Amino acid sequence: MNKVSVMQDIDELMDMYCADCLVIQQLRKTRGKQGAHKFCIENCTVGEQLQFLGQELMKLQQSE
């Protein structure tokens, strides 16, 4: 994996699942932006994938 491919994977996931996410839209109304963000980080499977890709990106940056 290289940085460009990891960034592309992150962009694809966000465009495919996060951009039109109805759960996020509803949570922003009920819990606010921070509450919705917390849900994504702690409960959403796409959020878990994004965290994994972010960690991979950090590893790649550190190895340079």
Side-chain angles (χ1 to χ4, degrees), residues 5-6 8-9 11 14 16 22 24 31-33 44 47 54 57 61:
S5 67
V6 173
Q8 287 174 338
D9 290 346
D11 286 341
M14 292 194 68
M16 188 179 301
L22 297 175
I24 288 294
R31 298 184 189 177
K33 192 172 183 178
C44 181
L57 188 60
Q61 288 179 341

Side-chain angles (χ1 to χ4, degrees), residues 11-56:
D11 286 341
E12 288 175 13
L13 278 174
M14 292 194 68
D15 289 344
M16 188 179 301
Y17 297 106
C18 302
D20 298 323
C21 180
L22 297 175
V23 175
I24 288 294
Q25 292 174 9
Q26 184 60 38
L27 287 174
R28 281 188 177 173
K29 290 177 185 175
T30 58
R31 298 184 189 177
K33 192 172 183 178
Q34 288 180 338
H37 183 75
K38 185 175 180 179
F39 171 83
C40 292
I41 292 171
E42 295 177 354
N43 299 58
C44 181
T45 56
V46 176
E48 290 175 11
Q49 290 175 319
L50 289 170
Q51 286 183 50
F52 170 77
L53 290 171
Q55 290 171 356
E56 292 299 310

